[in-house]
Amino acid sequence: MSAMLELEALRVTAGGRALVTLPRLDLNPGRPLCLVGETGAGKSLLLQALMGTLPPGLVAEGDVRLDGRVLDADTRRQLWGRRLALLPQEPSRALDPIMRSRGQVTEVHRWVRGLDSGAARDAATRDLERLGLAEAADKLPGELSGGMAQRVAFCAATAGGAGVLLADEPTKGLDPPRRDAVVALLANHAETGCLLVVTHDLEVARRLGGDLAVLRDGVLVEQGPTERLLAEPSHAYTRALVEAHRTPTVPRAPAAPGPPVVSAEGLALARGGRTLLRDIELAVGPGELVGLAGASGIGKSTLGDALLHLLPPERGRVRWAPGLDALRFQKLYQDPPAAFAPEVPLGRLLEELLERHRLAPARLDALLEAFGLASDLLGRPATAVSGGELQRIALARVLLLDPAFLFADEPVSRLDALTGRRVLDLLAAEARERACGVLLVGHDRYALERVCDRVLQLQANRVGAASGLVAA
């Protein structure tokens, strides 16, 4: 019996050079398939090839069969939402910036499923409530946290009831409870439909079960039942990937004491008319890495904006170390595409930065090499590189400015475990060497504890606002 979705001899090329080569891959209802591997290996390109949405200059070859019928890219586009749905890695590319959350989901129920306007609105409301997004229903994407935007995009992608769902990092930016809720929804879809999930989180793969495929340098190196591959991986890369998730925490030497580069006293913060944080007391010293954990949407990014004087507090005060220019206080955005002009080659953007601030090009070259970034990436715009590659380019760019304080909002959320470990280690080394204080946001407690001097937790009180920071 043939699979519901079959891929045969699939290749993605650029200028004749193969970026992804996949001899065969089958998807069946009731059998989820997770695709894991290093950042930039071509996982997202594979999903784009299936949907017929590859960036200009990239070409897909091979056969894609749905229910035994070979479909070209134009035919597959006609099935979007009804038979074939994609949840993109970047919410900013999936959501209409001027449409409120409920409307984004309502229009799928209305125009794809064919419900009348009232029923479509009610269905959208239920979808959002199921993912804990009742308060986000009337907000624009720009008013949502990264994790909330990811869940809204999930609701919109699945509202049409497509039998084949391709999900690109669907749990990125979510705390464990929210992640598990999304995994449960994915598993529910897989009971009757086909599910292909790209993920860097092996716990997501383990919970979904089914099969696991490992991609490296655009080539499938190992495939089989998820439980077996995670317990007894045979390929060296798969073993290293699994081991990176198992390695115990190694405490790091604490940073040298010194006066704080940034501090907050009695801070209360609001967004959209709602108080998110109150009674915040915090200080970050030079060269100190402080981890910040907390549930999705609790106010971690809001706190970072206040520390950078991007958001005025309701009460309290933020102090910067005296004598430092505002340029020395920097933010690494959770959503890298939002921080780059979309159609301008990355190399040109970086060259302009070097020229404007009279920075040495050798410093950029050293950072790109340290972060494992190929120089040919700079010839592409932000829309033509992977999320993990863009995340590392964003980090290299902000380090060029020699910050005294860096608010790093989920800086490795788009990276595989091996690359993420290396990037965090490099960030920690840079911070210590250059006396840069870092407030590092993340949902992976192990990763925070491994590189940070201390980890703090934002906790909500009974009225819904985070009532302070406690040691995690």
Side-chain angles (χ1 to χ4, degrees):
M1 181 179 176
S2 63
M4 183 175 178
L5 182 67
E6 303 168 274
L7 316 179
E8 189 170 1
L10 188 67
R11 295 175 77 240
V12 178
T13 61
R17 181 171 66 93
L19 302 179
V20 180
T21 302
L22 199 65
R24 186 172 183 87
L25 207 61
D26 293 342
L27 288 179
N28 287 290
R31 190 74 182 175
L33 174 63
C34 287
L35 187 62
V36 302
E38 63 187 345
T39 302
K43 302 181 297 297
S44 297
L45 286 181
L46 172 62
L47 300 192
Q48 291 172 334
L50 290 177
M51 293 294 292
T53 58
L54 284 170
L58 302 186
V59 178
E61 305 170 357
D63 290 338
V64 177
R65 295 186 183 89
L66 186 61
D67 292 331
R69 177 188 171 198
V70 177
L71 303 178
D72 60 24
D74 288 339
T75 304
R76 295 199 299 276
R77 290 191 192 101
Q78 297 172 19
L79 302 177
W80 287 357
R82 296 176 175 84
R83 297 292 312 282
L84 193 63
L86 171 68
L87 175 60
Q89 182 178 134
E90 306 296 347
S92 63
R93 298 181 189 177
L95 298 175
D96 185 334
I98 60 172
M99 182 180 290
R100 301 187 187 280
S101 300
R102 189 182 352 247
Q104 310 252 7
V105 184
T106 297
E107 70 170 10
V108 181
H109 284 293
R110 179 77 177 92
W111 302 112
V112 177
R113 291 189 60 198
L115 301 183
D116 64 48
S117 58
R121 181 180 172 85
D122 291 343
T125 299
R126 288 193 299 272
D127 288 347
L128 293 169
E129 289 176 347
R130 192 166 62 241
L131 283 182
L133 292 166
E135 294 183 0
D138 296 319
K139 292 183 178 180
L140 296 169
E143 299 173 312
L144 304 176
S145 71
M148 294 169 75
Q150 183 77 351
R151 283 178 279 156
V152 171
F154 176 87
C155 284
T158 57
V164 178
L165 176 61
L166 314 176
D168 196 355
E169 294 287 356
T171 61
K172 167 182 52 57
L174 301 183
D175 58 85
R178 299 296 189 199
R179 176 201 65 190
D180 295 345
V182 170
V183 169
L185 291 172
L186 291 169
N188 183 62
H189 174 91
E191 289 180 1
T192 56
C194 290
L195 176 67
L196 174 58
V197 177
V198 167
T199 183
H200 290 308
D201 190 342
L202 294 186
E203 179 62 16
V204 170
R206 187 189 69 78
R207 288 174 178 266
L208 285 172
D211 292 316
L212 188 68
V214 183
L215 202 66
R216 190 182 191 196
D217 292 329
V219 177
L220 193 64
V221 298
E222 190 166 5
Q223 183 179 1
T226 299
E227 185 177 357
R228 176 176 63 79
L229 258 62
L230 293 182
E232 299 177 356
S234 59
H235 193 277
Y237 176 73
T238 311
R239 290 196 297 271
L241 200 60
V242 171
E243 187 63 25
H245 285 263
R246 294 175 176 168
T247 305
T249 298
V250 179
R252 69 189 296 251
V261 290
V262 66
S263 61
E265 303 168 2
L267 208 59
L269 302 170
R271 226 167 201 158
R274 172 176 167 245
T275 298
L276 293 176
L277 306 171
R278 55 166 52 92
D279 303 325
I280 299 296
E281 304 283 338
L282 174 67
V284 181
E288 183 182 25
L289 270 78
V290 179
L292 181 62
S296 299
I298 200 171
K300 301 183 294 297
S301 298
T302 296
L303 175 57
D305 286 347
L307 294 176
L308 293 168
H309 292 328
L310 299 175
L311 179 71
E314 284 188 312
R315 294 190 305 277
R317 178 184 297 178
V318 173
R319 297 178 185 270
W320 286 358
L324 294 175
D325 188 89
L327 191 65
R328 303 287 306 283
F329 294 80
Q330 288 290 326
K331 177 177 180 177
L332 187 65
Y333 285 82
Q334 182 181 120
D335 188 13
F340 289 90
E343 301 302 330
V344 182
L346 294 165
R348 187 189 306 171
L349 295 174
L350 292 171
E351 287 171 5
E352 290 175 354
L353 182 74
L354 295 174
E355 292 173 3
R356 179 177 179 82
H357 299 288
R358 300 177 182 178
L359 304 173
R363 170 71 170 150
L364 173 60
D365 295 339
L367 286 169
L368 294 177
E369 182 179 358
F371 289 137
L373 294 163
S375 59
D376 63 356
L377 292 175
L378 301 187
R380 306 180 199 169
T383 52
V385 301
S386 75
E389 289 165 336
L390 193 60
Q391 197 164 42
R392 283 176 284 166
I393 291 171
L395 181 54
R397 181 177 67 172
V398 78
L399 290 177
L400 281 172
L401 296 171
D402 191 24
F405 172 73
L406 174 62
F407 177 68
D409 200 351
E410 298 273 5
V412 295
S413 61
R414 291 153 175 81
L415 303 180
D416 63 270
L418 289 171
T419 306
R421 282 170 60 95
R422 184 171 71 250
V423 167
L424 286 181
D425 288 343
L426 286 167
L427 175 58
E430 285 279 335
R432 188 63 61 87
E433 179 182 349
R434 297 177 177 272
C436 172
V438 178
L439 186 60
L440 177 62
V441 174
H443 288 301
D444 185 341
R445 284 288 304 280
Y446 155 68
L448 292 179
E449 291 170 355
R450 194 179 66 81
V451 300
C452 293
D453 299 290
R454 53 196 171 101
V455 178
L456 303 176
Q457 178 90 23
L458 276 172
Q459 292 187 332
N461 64 15
R462 65 177 182 271
V463 296
S467 56
L469 291 161
V470 297

